[in-house]
Amino acid sequence: MKKLFIIANWKSNKTIEEAEKWLHDFSEILSSSPLDLLNKEIIVCPSFAVLEHAGYCSKNLKLPIKLGAQNISRFEKGAYTGEVSAEMLESLVMYCIVGHSERRKYFGETDDDVIEKIKLLLEYKITPVLCISDLSQLDSYINRGKQIIERSKEIIFVYEPPDAISGGGDYKPDSPEDANLNAGKIKERIGEIKILYGGSVNSDNVASFFSQPNIEGALVGQAGLDPLEFLGIIKNA
Ligand code: PGA
């Protein structure tokens, strides 16, 4: 049975109070209808402002979740106003999303930035969750950073075509077959790795993606903002 990774990316949503409510609601729903979480890694990625409190609540509630960040600085430390470094995140998270298409689109993040971030994450033993929009982007990463191939077992890859992301403009969800094909092409280039799919995954369509042989989980945006819907994804996975 393959191990599934289900990651909620809260993006720029949820205040501390809203995050606390989500975690309490998640806990309550889960205790009233327990789920089989064997072979499932559940990861929640709040904003930096919320991370520490989310970790505190999650520990108190004994939630079966791990925390991830949505971004890190490409610099190790120093005079980089506004940046959050891998070293700062080391004690807070086990995972960190990197190279999300929204960071590229709105904040001008480049392929080189992404490689520098991956190097730092690996150095600080935080698992990078690397988003890949298409195969040419993957080729560029492979050319720029030997870590992509050499440390591929320590990275979680996500095939996430930007047009499939909900609320991201030209909304065009990918088909499970196409997602599987592209995940397969990524595996052909890199080897036996973990690949998730991202883009409008919800509790209704999750099973159709997870039944594909090359897909080992999902990066979930919109549907992860509601604990009931997110638990529906985990249940139907
Ligand atoms: P979505 O977002 O599930 O809302 O499409 C996914 C993502 O951007 O990671």
Side-chain angles (χ1 to χ4, degrees):
M1 198 176 174
K2 63 183 178 183
K3 179 161 185 178
L4 294 170
F5 290 77
I6 304 171
I7 307 179
N9 172 12
W10 284 355
K11 306 191 179 182
S12 192
N13 293 294
K14 297 202 185 295
T15 60
I16 289 181
E17 289 76 16
E18 288 165 347
E20 190 174 312
K21 181 165 180 356
W22 189 103
L23 293 163
H24 277 92
D25 289 352
F26 183 92
S27 171
E28 263 179 32
I29 303 163
L30 195 59
S31 51
S32 62
S33 51
L35 291 176
D36 179 9
L37 296 177
L38 204 73
N39 291 317
K40 286 180 190 155
E41 178 91 333
I42 313 302
I43 301 158
V44 176
C45 303
S47 71
F48 289 137
V50 168
L51 259 181
E52 195 190 357
H53 190 63
Y56 171 80
C57 292
S58 167
K59 203 169 157 202
N60 272 352
L61 294 164
K62 298 191 174 51
L63 294 184
I65 62 172
K66 308 274 170 37
L67 288 182
Q70 301 172 17
N71 183 33
I72 58 146
S73 175
R74 65 166 283 172
F75 300 106
E76 188 156 14
K77 62 163 74 174
Y80 303 103
T81 301
E83 289 293 271
V84 175
S85 71
E87 189 182 20
M88 294 168 191
L89 288 178
E90 195 185 16
S91 60
L92 293 173
V93 301
M94 288 182 65
Y95 298 89
C96 180
I97 299 169
V98 66
H100 193 285
S101 59
E102 287 158 8
R103 294 222 48 88
R104 305 173 66 91
K105 180 174 169 189
Y106 299 115
F107 306 100
E109 199 165 288
T110 65
D111 294 351
D112 286 328
D113 292 333
V114 172
I115 296 298
E116 291 308 312
K117 291 176 184 203
I118 287 178
K119 284 185 202 163
L120 285 168
L121 288 172
L122 291 171
E123 192 181 321
Y124 284 92
K125 304 207 173 357
I126 299 169
T127 302
V129 176
L130 172 61
C131 300
I132 295 166
S133 300
D134 55 43
L135 293 170
S136 66
Q137 191 180 79
L138 174 66
D139 289 338
S140 167
Y141 290 149
I142 292 172
N143 289 335
R144 283 161 208 268
K146 60 181 183 350
Q147 296 77 7
I148 303 292
I149 304 267
E150 286 178 5
R151 311 277 303 266
S152 61
K153 295 270 185 291
E154 297 158 74
I155 298 172
I156 292 178
F157 294 81
V158 184
Y159 171 60
E160 183 166 77
D163 285 350
I165 295 174
S166 60
D170 302 330
Y171 168 67
K172 192 153 49 77
D174 208 354
S175 71
E177 293 73 22
D178 188 60
N180 184 58
L181 195 76
N182 281 298
K185 286 182 185 163
I186 294 171
K187 285 187 180 175
E188 271 168 29
R189 279 174 168 75
I190 303 184
E192 262 319 298
I193 48 167
K194 289 185 190 72
I195 305 192
L196 322 186
Y197 166 73
S200 304
V201 173
N202 57 40
S203 59
D204 290 333
N205 65 20
V206 65
S208 66
F209 286 104
F210 286 5
S211 61
Q212 301 293 328
N214 289 321
I215 295 176
E216 278 107 12
L219 182 59
V220 180
Q222 191 61 36
L225 295 177
D226 173 16
L228 187 61
E229 173 64 8
F230 189 56
L231 278 161
I233 292 177
I234 299 167
K235 187 171 164 212
N236 296 344

